[in-house]
Amino acid sequence: MSNVSFRSVSKTYGNVRALDNLELDIREGEFISLLGPSGSGKSTTLNLLAGLQDVSGGRVFIGERDVTDLPPEKRDLALVFQNYALYPHMTLFENIAFPLRAKSPVPSASDIERKVRSTAEALGIGDLLARYPKEISGGQQQRVALGRAMVRDPRVFLLDEPLSNLDARLRIRMRRDLRALHAQLRSTIVYVTHDQSEAMTLSDRIAVFSDGKLQQLGTPEDIYYRPANTFIANFIGDREANLFPVEISRVGDRLELAGAGLTIRLDRALDAAKARSALAGIRPDSVELVAPDSSQASGVAEVVDQELVGADLYVFVKTGAGVEICSRRDPRQRLRLGEPVGISVRQGDVHLFDASTEVCISPGDAGILERQE
Ligand SMILES: Nc1ncnc2c1ncn2[C@@H]1O[C@H](COP(=O)(O)OP(=O)(O)OP(=O)(O)O)[C@@H](O)[C@H]1O
Ligand SMILES: [Mg+2]
């Protein structure tokens, strides 16, 4: 069952098309992230759902109800923004209790006490409740804002970059807390972020936006292993995908790709009507560097650069055709600049895209993990 639906929703500001014909169904109880680069339309989508802005076209539904013309307070949503505002003259306890006291009927004092305390405990701010907002850090304030939204038990939570003010480590810890929270509350959460690893770890499904358009909707595994187009292949993952033109020939029921100085064989059929040439997309994770004379090598190349990032070493090699390919490997296997290497590609991880539309015509078939519930 879906409990939020966007039907052909558009939003324009003057001649800026912030959101273009959005069709999106959000399921009851799911954690869905709206992911995309800055300016892609994520906050616009959230604000239209919240009723903070009016649509330029289309309809928005929550449950069976068309809420397009309803004001925000009639939509049964809770919002937490990047720039949350706490009440400065109230303690954290009173800040979190505020929405409870606004309910009718007002819950009993002991119910309020219990709810505020358990929420604050879940957020790791249980011992700060007597303080005022100016007496805590920005990250703690952000958690108070989350708590204030949580105590309301709304149908849908809307969170716009709620962890943006936290330091990197706390952000990662908060991810686990948020996941645990979702498992406990089971409410629908719509979560805006431009951080793809955050979206990957938190979400049941991810909606990826660029230029005001929904580019792909799917589980983190779908988005990672079956990118719908080259934008997704580049945007998702720690590094951009290696992307290069290939000529496709069919050898029996296999495909042979020739391009970038490589010859890659795929145990895969492709509709004969589809292109003879395409763009191949391969993530650095799926490129292995082997001995130049290895039978696994699809071609040879020379090491031109290396970048050590924590536990990962990114090695850039240049093929005979002058194309640069990036491979991720173990830093203990550092190579020398100028060293000749063979390029071995995990064939199940090769995606083919239409050369002109850049839409995926043949996704890789490997690596899809069953999602553990
Ligand atoms: N009030 C406004 N007036 C004019 N243009 C706007 C307004 N709000 C947003 N836009 C434009 O609409 C587009 C989408 O903006 P939106 O805020 O939805 O992006 P976003 O994906 O949330 O980006 P960010 O990650 O930077 O928050 C952008 O081009 C933005 O400049
Ligand atoms: Mg935004």
Side-chain angles (χ1 to χ4, degrees):
M1 186 185 143
S2 93
N3 79 336
V4 173
S5 303
F6 291 86
R7 288 281 157 269
S8 314
V9 173
S10 295
K11 178 69 180 174
T12 49
Y13 297 104
N15 52 12
V16 177
R17 213 168 172 74
L19 195 63
D20 192 4
N21 231 338
L22 177 65
E23 287 286 332
L24 175 63
D25 289 301
I26 297 173
R27 297 175 188 146
E28 183 93 53
E30 84 172 320
F31 194 123
I32 187 168
S33 291
L34 311 183
L35 173 69
S38 185
S40 56
K42 309 179 296 291
S43 295
T44 301
T45 304
L46 208 69
N47 292 340
L48 295 176
L49 174 56
L52 298 177
Q53 287 165 352
D54 296 326
V55 303
S56 307
R59 311 299 297 176
V60 180
F61 295 86
I62 299 177
E64 301 294 299
R65 218 155 47 124
D66 183 337
V67 298
T68 318
D69 303 316
L70 289 185
E73 64 277 11
K74 296 241 167 85
R75 296 191 183 196
D76 194 16
L77 305 163
L79 288 108
V80 179
F81 289 106
Q82 199 167 345
N83 300 312
Y84 45 85
L86 300 177
Y87 303 110
H89 58 288
M90 292 183 191
T91 62
L92 303 197
F93 184 98
E94 286 307 322
N95 263 281
I96 296 173
F98 190 82
L100 294 175
R101 299 201 197 285
K103 271 191 172 176
S104 85
V106 180
S108 70
S110 63
D111 281 351
I112 290 180
E113 175 89 18
R114 191 163 349 102
K115 186 100 197 175
V116 171
R117 295 221 173 266
S118 68
T119 304
E121 287 303 328
L123 290 167
I125 48 173
D127 48 2
L128 303 177
L129 289 173
R131 296 204 200 166
Y132 288 86
K134 65 174 187 319
E135 298 169 341
I136 58 175
S137 73
Q140 291 164 339
Q141 290 182 20
Q142 209 147 30
R143 286 187 273 170
V144 176
L146 270 175
R148 199 171 53 183
M150 280 163 53
V151 291
R152 287 182 40 202
D153 291 327
R155 261 184 105 152
V156 185
F157 281 105
L158 308 183
L159 308 180
D160 195 342
E161 308 252 8
L163 307 185
S164 61
N165 289 0
L166 307 185
D167 66 60
R169 271 189 207 283
L170 189 54
R171 238 182 125 118
I172 288 174
R173 227 191 67 205
M174 279 297 293
R175 282 182 198 172
R176 297 191 56 183
D177 295 347
L178 271 177
R179 241 185 6 222
L181 216 61
H182 179 241
Q184 184 193 326
L185 300 172
R186 283 280 143 219
S187 12
T188 308
I189 298 185
V190 187
Y191 188 89
V192 168
T193 179
H194 61 264
D195 180 335
Q196 49 111 3
S197 64
E198 199 165 285
M200 296 290 264
T201 46
L202 282 172
S203 317
D204 297 313
R205 292 193 303 163
I206 303 176
V208 190
F209 289 79
S210 121
D211 283 339
K213 292 194 186 68
L214 177 60
Q215 301 287 333
Q216 186 168 6
L217 171 67
T219 63
E221 288 81 6
D222 286 336
I223 304 263
Y224 191 84
Y225 292 109
R226 295 176 165 265
N229 54 41
T230 57
F231 168 80
I232 303 277
N234 277 329
F235 187 67
I236 307 292
D238 293 330
R239 293 284 163 127
E240 292 199 339
N242 296 293
L243 210 58
F244 49 87
V246 289
E247 293 301 318
I248 304 174
S249 48
R250 290 170 183 80
V251 183
D253 50 4
R254 305 170 84 197
L255 299 179
E256 194 171 278
L257 313 179
L262 308 176
T263 305
I264 301 169
R265 293 193 184 84
L266 302 181
D267 286 321
R268 200 188 295 180
L270 184 66
D271 185 347
K274 290 201 174 143
R276 299 196 53 78
S277 57
L279 288 171
I282 310 167
R283 293 183 201 286
D285 287 7
S286 310
V287 177
E288 208 182 324
L289 301 179
V290 295
D293 56 359
S294 162
S295 63
Q296 288 172 32
S298 300
V300 291
E302 186 185 299
V303 176
V304 292
D305 200 6
Q306 308 191 69
E307 243 174 70
L308 180 64
V309 187
D312 295 318
L313 178 68
Y314 291 93
V315 180
F316 298 86
V317 301
K318 199 169 252 180
T319 68
V323 175
E324 211 171 86
I325 303 279
C326 177
S327 163
R328 185 171 70 114
R329 62 193 265 136
D330 188 322
R332 285 165 290 202
Q333 303 176 310
R334 249 192 138 114
L335 298 164
R336 288 186 316 280
L337 288 185
E339 187 171 338
V341 290
I343 294 182
S344 164
V345 169
R346 224 169 293 142
Q347 62 145 321
D349 296 348
V350 177
H351 312 292
L352 295 175
F353 302 96
D354 183 281
S356 54
T357 62
E358 306 201 355
V359 167
C360 191
I361 52 175
S362 173
D365 52 13
I368 302 220
L369 310 166
E370 282 307 312
R371 196 164 171 75
Q372 311 232 314
E373 290 302 329

